[in-house]
Every structure is written in structure tokens, then in C-alpha cells.
Amino acid sequence: MPSSIESAEKAGRLTGPVPWVAMYHSVGDCSDDPYRVTVTPGRLEKQLRWLRRRGLRGVSVAELLAARARGEGQRLVGLTFDDGYADFLDHALPLLDRWGCGATLFVLPGRLGGDNAWDPLGPRKPLLSADGIRRAAAGGVEIGAHGLTHVDLTKADADTLGAETAESRSLLEDLIQSPVDGFCYPYGTVDRRAVDAVRDAGYGYACAIDPGDLNGVHALPRVHIGENDHAVRLFLKYRLHRLRRRPVEGL
């Protein structure tokens, strides 16, 4: 039986402006952060407070899309954390709980307990172990796949593309003993071949950054949120995202 998201997508129903999905990575010390992927716990708390004081609530992407498919959820914001950094448990999860927010954590089952070796400039940051991912899931966080090892899917051969999409989903479902519906494209890069592979692997949705003409449920646009995003910048990003992005078919 098709899900509510799939039914709405096939019907071509639009229920409002494009969903706002925020993209985070690491939460911790950002003194050495060449890729701007880290926010401090203090900054994250201020950003969550900003959402709640404006009548918005951060939720997982699955919850956001399900609400939008029902014609609801206009005050919901998707919160995503890429790569599965170990600091999520100590720094992000307690703040999400404090502010009554949910989130989606995109992890790499091929790098369990490893580090961000794909970032040549460093610094090395530890990734969650299998137990850490289970703890996040037990805490109410949606677990999604970020591929196996953080490979640019637009440059992957057929075998690698299959492993990074289908195999990563299978491994995660075995790990958390629950369905995995979401995927996130490493580096945010996406092309038609990657979208087709993700859809064929059975994912209900996928997150990108700026997918252009591929914009859709399997290539959702997101907004990078960093340490410098104070209240004014957050407001501008929120408004401009909704004004500039095309509505997503079915949502």
C-alpha cells in the first residue's frame, strides 16, 4: 500500500511553500572548522529557541513530509544532521529534547566508529558507533542513510552506486531493527542517475542542497545552518528559502 507521501506525490498535489529543511553537521568546538560544518552547543540552543519563539517546531524529515502530505505542517521545520558525528549524542540530542524538537540523523554504516576521513583539511572528528546510532534511534531520532562511506554519487560507478544506496539502507535497517526511509546525498551533489538509484533502493525521500531541476521528494533542497547564523540571518534564510525555491510536487 503506498504511503501518504507517495499518494500525494502521484496526485501532484501542492499544499504550500517548499518545506524548510535545515542542514547541520557537527555540534561542538568550532575553533578549527575549515568547512564550516560545526555549531557550538550554545549557538544551536539559540537557534532552537529562535524557532520555538516564532511558533515553529523542528522535526524529523519523515514527520515533516508526512504532515505536509496531509496538507498540514506549515509551522514545522525539518532538522537534519549529516555524517553522524559522535558529538550528536552529548551536545545535540539533549538540546533537541529540551526544546521539544525532533531531527533526522544521516549516518554512514560503512564508517561506524571511524572519523571524517573524507575531509582532507581536517580536523578529524569521531563518528558514532553502532551502539551510538542505536542510542540516537532509541531517543526518538529518525535515522537515515548518508551512503556507506561518503562518496560523491555523481562520480560513482554502477557497483559503488548500488552499494552506497541499497546496501547502506539494508545495513542500517539491520542495525536499528526499523525501516530506513530517508537518504542524504554526500556533499549534496546529485544528478538524475543518483536520484534514480536512491528511488530504486526503496527510499521514500532524499535530501540534497540545491538540486535545481531535480527538485522533488527524492531531491529535497536544504539550507546550511552554521555558527554565524544568529537571529537576523536565520530569519533571512527562512524567508528567502521559501521565496526562491519552487514548491515540491506533492508537498
Side-chain angles (χ1 to χ4, degrees):
M1 179 179 295
S3 68
S4 58
I5 295 174
E6 291 170 336
S7 297
E9 184 181 17
K10 289 177 180 178
R13 178 164 56 86
L14 301 178
T15 60
V18 61
W20 203 63
V21 182
M23 177 180 65
Y24 289 94
H25 291 77
S26 173
V27 181
D29 179 11
C30 63
S31 58
D32 184 9
D33 188 30
Y35 297 101
R36 299 187 303 114
V37 297
T38 307
V39 298
T40 60
R43 178 60 69 190
L44 176 61
E45 178 154 37
K46 291 177 180 177
Q47 292 165 345
L48 296 177
R49 182 188 301 126
W50 180 89
L51 287 176
R52 297 314 304 263
R53 287 182 173 176
R54 280 150 187 82
L56 302 171
R57 183 168 67 90
V59 297
S60 69
V61 180
E63 182 176 346
L64 172 64
L65 297 186
R68 293 289 296 249
R70 297 191 303 267
E72 305 168 359
Q74 298 303 311
R75 306 300 291 175
L76 300 181
V77 172
L79 299 181
T80 63
F81 292 79
D82 290 10
D83 303 330
Y85 290 103
D87 56 32
F88 180 86
L89 287 179
D90 293 331
H91 297 153
L93 187 55
L95 293 174
L96 292 168
D97 289 342
R98 181 181 304 168
W99 290 98
C101 292
T104 299
L105 179 65
F106 292 113
V107 301
L108 299 153
R111 293 188 183 273
L112 298 177
D115 61 32
N116 57 327
W118 61 87
D119 287 336
L121 298 181
R124 299 278 73 85
K125 287 177 173 283
L127 304 177
L128 288 167
S129 64
D131 182 63
I133 293 172
R134 292 190 193 100
R135 287 172 57 195
V141 175
E142 181 194 11
I143 303 299
H146 200 28
L148 274 178
T149 58
H150 208 283
V151 170
D152 184 345
L153 298 188
T154 66
K155 300 177 181 178
D157 60 33
D159 289 342
T160 301
L161 189 58
E164 293 287 332
T165 54
E167 187 176 340
S168 63
R169 183 172 187 240
S170 176
L171 288 172
L172 280 180
E173 290 184 335
D174 287 344
L175 192 157
I176 64 173
Q177 292 296 293
S178 183
V180 171
D181 202 40
F183 186 87
C184 177
Y185 299 96
Y187 305 103
T189 55
V190 60
D191 59 13
R192 173 53 62 188
R193 183 167 159 268
V195 170
D196 290 344
V198 167
R199 183 185 291 109
D200 291 345
Y203 294 96
Y205 74 85
C207 289
I209 298 177
D210 186 5
D213 292 342
L214 294 171
N215 181 66
V217 173
H218 286 90
L220 291 167
R222 293 185 297 167
V223 177
H224 168 75
I225 303 296
E227 179 67 12
N228 294 327
D229 288 318
H230 46 70
V232 173
R233 285 171 59 94
L234 281 176
F235 174 75
L236 290 174
K237 285 189 173 184
Y238 180 72
R239 290 298 300 273
L240 290 174
H241 177 77
R242 292 163 69 89
L243 290 172
R244 290 177 175 175
R245 302 288 189 182
R246 294 179 304 166
V248 177
E249 187 113 343
L251 298 177

